[in-house]
Amino acid sequence: MFIDEAVIYVRSGKGGDGFVHFHREKYVNRGGPDGGDGGRGGDVILEVLPTLNTLVNFRYQRKFIAQDGAKGGVNNMTGKSAEDLIIPVPPGTVVYDADTGELLGDLVEPGQRLVVCKGGRGGRGNARFATPRNQAPRIAEKGEPGEERNLRLELKLIADVGIVGVPNAGKSSLLAAVTNARPKIADYPFTTLEPNLGVADLDENTSLILADIPGLIEGAHQGVGLGDAFLRHIQRTRVLIHLLDGQSADPLADFSQINAELALFDPQLVQKPMIVALNKIDLPEVQQRWETLRTELEKKGVQQPYAISALAHIGLEPLLWRCVELLKTAPEPQRREELPVYRPGDDPREFTISRTPDGGFKVKGAAIERAAAMTYWEFEGSVRRFQRLIERLGVEEKLREMGIQNGDTVYIGDDYELEWQE
């Protein structure tokens, strides 16, 4: 099954918690703090695997969660960092943030990687907080939470040659005649419901990758027919074969219509090297109109139009060698890139406070929520450290301005509920 779009959820691993521990050894008095740091959480990484040519795997698995880092240990032992989660994707995958629409990367080269979520850092153990004034700290950090996001993956097939034309022009027959691909072939329009790839071997040192695109009709760039869903697959091809149906009522009108749809979808498509071939030349009625059609095509600027028969295997080899010639000078397909847009980043120290229906106060902000998640609430030293942090951020002053009283409830984000005490 060919799948060329997918939306997945990814989450990196949480950092391991720091450890609170004091050295214990016979004859060693007051050995001091020796709690180790937690390990780093695993990143989520997309990696190009050349053997894939579809996103079908994401139909069955849509959630990808990396492992968390391990907790720190005694004797200043750092917890084990988690393995990165590698998600294989086919060449030609374009990655977007599904919620914002931001382009994150265009994965083309085999082995190319894109880190989409970075793992959280490990929390610091109590050995890190020892100072001359506080030689026995009961303070540590929990691991930093990982990142999470929804991704939209869009596949654009990578092929040397794209075959385009109206429905039933013989595109699938041409692909089957020159490669080992076995697309569905029938004598009715829209037989091809998904793109097909095939490799044509011309000699020991020359081969072509061809893509057969489902038939295009008027309005394809707006979603009419199947064109809107698959037109993007020819954006990465370097040469186009425009196949005309020799039995069509007006092949020249078909030629103009398809070119117009290509231009409306992406103006760069009509700039690609294009070979025009009239199919079904084995039929007598097509042979009779060939000379007239060739003259009219040349008047439209078409250089060296071809007459072929995919069914009878007539004229196929010269057509493919012409593709090879054009590929020598055709530009490489460009990766999808957007001009950098510099936006002022959100200050993580910023916060908002709102009243809740039960009379409490809800505090939201990146820094304060992250600090709450990394606090050991069972250790008094860690709680005092959190209190100093909310004072530095200005949260305490703002709460007093809003009239907080003893016993009032303070919510930090959606996960933590505290009681205010003077």
Side-chain angles (χ1 to χ4, degrees):
M1 179 175 294
F2 184 83
I3 302 294
D4 61 351
E5 283 187 327
V7 176
I8 63 174
Y9 168 83
V10 293
R11 186 176 75 201
S12 59
K14 169 184 171 294
D17 297 338
F19 199 54
V20 176
H21 189 267
F22 295 91
H23 187 69
R24 297 289 185 267
E25 186 177 349
K26 191 176 183 180
Y27 308 121
V28 177
N29 188 27
R30 297 181 179 178
D34 68 348
D37 300 339
R40 180 186 60 81
D43 296 340
V44 179
I45 302 174
L46 303 183
E47 182 178 11
V48 176
L49 187 62
T51 54
L52 298 179
N53 58 10
T54 176
L55 299 174
V56 67
N57 291 339
F58 299 111
R59 184 183 182 192
Y60 307 105
Q61 183 178 357
R62 297 181 183 273
K63 289 187 177 181
F64 297 86
I65 301 175
Q67 294 182 347
D68 298 336
K71 187 175 183 178
V74 301
N75 296 325
N76 293 303
M77 289 191 298
T78 300
K80 181 181 179 181
S81 294
E83 297 288 337
D84 294 332
L85 176 60
I86 308 297
I87 305 175
V89 296
T93 301
V94 186
V95 186
Y96 299 91
D97 186 300
D99 299 319
T100 65
E102 177 188 3
L103 174 65
L104 302 179
D106 191 356
L107 304 177
V108 176
E109 302 296 333
Q112 184 180 351
R113 288 187 166 194
L114 174 67
V115 179
V116 291
C117 285
K118 290 191 67 65
R121 70 171 177 85
R124 293 176 290 178
N126 68 331
R128 292 288 201 96
F129 294 92
T131 66
R133 295 182 60 184
N134 186 8
Q135 298 182 17
R138 293 185 177 276
I139 304 173
E141 290 177 333
K142 291 188 177 181
E144 181 183 24
E147 300 175 348
E148 61 180 356
R149 68 198 320 171
N150 293 306
L151 301 178
R152 179 169 62 86
L153 308 181
E154 182 181 288
L155 177 61
K156 296 181 181 180
L157 292 179
I158 298 178
D160 298 319
V161 180
I163 308 173
V164 298
V166 296
N168 216 32
K171 301 180 296 297
S172 297
S173 299
L174 175 59
L175 185 70
V178 299
T179 73
N180 286 328
R182 292 295 175 262
K184 183 178 179 181
I185 299 173
D187 59 353
Y188 52 82
F190 295 112
T191 307
T192 302
L193 300 178
E194 59 191 36
N196 294 290
L197 280 178
V199 179
D201 293 318
L202 279 71
D203 58 31
E204 294 181 357
N205 302 315
T206 308
S207 63
L208 294 173
I209 301 177
L210 295 96
D212 160 31
I213 308 301
L216 305 177
I217 61 175
E218 186 175 359
H221 70 285
Q222 296 176 330
V224 179
L226 301 174
D228 183 58
F230 300 117
L231 267 170
R232 65 173 176 271
H233 290 294
I234 61 176
Q235 289 180 310
R236 294 203 194 274
T237 59
R238 299 170 58 196
V239 173
L240 298 179
I241 294 178
H242 191 148
L243 200 62
L244 302 180
D245 183 359
Q247 290 186 301
S248 170
D250 193 345
L252 296 176
D254 295 342
F255 175 72
S256 300
Q257 173 192 311
I258 298 302
N259 285 342
E261 293 300 324
L262 296 178
L264 290 170
F265 180 78
D266 183 351
Q268 294 185 354
L269 290 180
V270 292
Q271 304 300 323
K272 292 179 179 290
M274 178 183 291
I275 303 172
V276 179
L278 182 73
N279 192 24
K280 306 178 183 178
I281 194 63
D282 55 313
L283 300 177
E285 60 270 25
V286 178
Q287 296 174 8
Q288 294 175 4
R289 64 194 309 196
W290 165 235
E291 291 300 329
T292 301
L293 289 173
R294 179 169 62 179
T295 302
E296 293 299 324
L297 287 170
E298 290 174 347
K299 288 180 180 180
K300 291 179 176 291
V302 177
Q303 297 181 2
Q304 197 176 344
Y306 286 80
I308 68 168
S309 171
L311 184 62
H313 290 213
I314 298 174
L316 302 185
E317 188 169 345
L319 177 67
L320 296 181
W321 279 111
R322 177 58 178 163
C323 292
V324 173
E325 292 179 14
L326 293 179
L327 284 170
K328 293 177 181 179
T329 57
E332 293 291 334
Q334 296 182 350
R335 294 186 185 181
R336 172 70 188 279
E337 296 182 355
E338 293 183 350
L339 292 175
V341 178
Y342 298 98
R343 302 181 178 88
D346 296 332
D347 186 354
R349 297 170 59 88
E350 291 183 352
F351 62 89
T352 60
I353 303 179
S354 58
R355 299 302 298 264
T356 60
D358 61 358
F361 299 81
K362 187 164 188 176
V363 183
K364 294 188 70 69
I368 189 68
E369 292 183 50
R370 175 175 171 271
M374 298 180 69
T375 296
Y376 271 106
W377 298 103
E378 58 266 39
F379 295 122
E380 185 179 351
S382 294
V383 175
R384 287 200 302 269
R385 180 169 177 265
F386 180 78
Q387 290 174 330
R388 292 194 297 271
L389 175 64
I390 66 173
E391 183 179 353
R392 289 199 304 269
L393 291 175
V395 176
E396 180 178 344
E397 180 182 359
K398 184 65 175 177
L399 286 171
R400 293 185 188 278
E401 291 177 0
M402 297 179 67
I404 193 168
Q405 302 293 328
N406 273 344
D408 286 347
T409 302
V410 178
Y411 300 94
I412 307 296
D414 298 323
D415 300 320
Y416 298 92
E417 180 179 335
L418 310 176
E419 183 178 334
W420 182 266
Q421 295 291 341
E422 293 289 350

